[in-house]
């Protein structure tokens, strides 16, 4: 379904790889002008060129979502936007609470929660002005259930979940939907590598024996589906896991 002209611009954070990049491609194909943001300028510029060459519309804008001054400057470029995809985030480490690095916890909170807050606050007036706005928060199943070794990431994603849930209550009656997508096990090129500081062996062990973890395209497909529902339809929360994963701690592995 082609979006109305007033809501045809979609801002995507963390668009340099993984779920963000896949979402940019799919929303562009669905008729949106996508604005790609991330810290890695070269990545998003290459993706914007790819999307534009395919006959769709994309713009790249280098942005650190934790830098409020830069976020406000970015937001000033818009009078109206239709969609905000708060995708920037990530996990660092898998240490228990007793030995977890507070710096990692702080960075995860800043990116997953404060970054989402910054973009949402800065762009909410523009979304409302469109008359048909949508805020999407990409949280995680970690935001809905705990697991050992994940407390820092779990705490951050709980924060993202609560932000989305509270915002929905606070702006009910305004022309803006609030959607939360909570993916389970997704295998991308960078998520586990980043979490384990580039240790390829540890990163691969996360997915060991799992025949078909989710892909970035799988999650992007769910995001695009929720965004392109009719305006009166709000998908409050969509939890998506691979068939092999029953919970954060129950995964079928063929070893």
């Amino acid at each position: 379904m082609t979006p109305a002209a007033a809501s045809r611009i979609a801002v995507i954070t963390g668009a340099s790889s993984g779920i963000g990049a896949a979402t940019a491609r799919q929303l562009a194909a669905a008729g949106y002008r996508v604005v790609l943001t991330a810290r890695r300028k070269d990545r998003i510029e290459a993706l914007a060129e790819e999307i534009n060459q395919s006959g769709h519309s994309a713009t790249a804008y280098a942005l650190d979502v934790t830098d409020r001054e830069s976020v406000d400057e970015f937001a000033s470029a818009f009078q109206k936007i239709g969609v905000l995809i708060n995708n920037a985030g990530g996990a660092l480490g898998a240490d228990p609470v007793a030995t977890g690095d507070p710096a990692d916890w702080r960075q995860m909170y800043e990116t997953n929660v404060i970054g989402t807050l910054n973009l949402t606050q800065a762009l909410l007036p523009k979304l409302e002005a469109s008359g048909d706005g949508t805020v999407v928060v990409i949280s995680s199943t970690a935001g809905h259930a705990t697991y050992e070794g994940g407390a820092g990431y779990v705490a951050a994603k709980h924060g993202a979940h609560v932000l989305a849930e509270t915002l929905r209550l606070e702006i009910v009656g305004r022309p803006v939907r609030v959607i939360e997508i909570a993916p389970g096990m997704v295998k991308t090129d960078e998520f586990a590598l980043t979490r384990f500081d580039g240790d390829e062996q540890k990163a691969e062990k996360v997915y060991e024996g799992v025949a078909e973890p989710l892909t970035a395209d799988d999650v992007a497909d769910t995001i695009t589906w929720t965004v392109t529902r009719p305006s009166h339809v709000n998908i409050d929360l969509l939890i998506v896991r691979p068939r092999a994963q029953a919970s954060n701690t129950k995964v079928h592995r063929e070893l």
Side-chain angles (χ1 to χ4, degrees), residues 105-142:
W105 282 52
R106 187 172 295 109
Q107 185 173 337
M108 285 187 282
Y109 190 84
E110 286 285 336
T111 306
N112 289 282
V113 184
I114 302 301
T116 296
L117 177 67
N118 284 341
L119 265 295
T120 302
Q121 286 184 337
L123 293 178
L124 191 58
K126 324 286 185 173
L127 290 157
E128 188 169 355
S130 76
D132 186 18
T134 301
V135 176
V136 179
V137 175
I138 310 303
S139 63
S140 167
T141 54

Side-chain angles (χ1 to χ4, degrees), residues 142-164:
H144 297 268
T146 60
Y147 60 93
E148 293 171 285
Y153 182 59
V154 167
K157 286 303 188 183
H158 268 77
H161 161 63
V162 169
L163 187 157

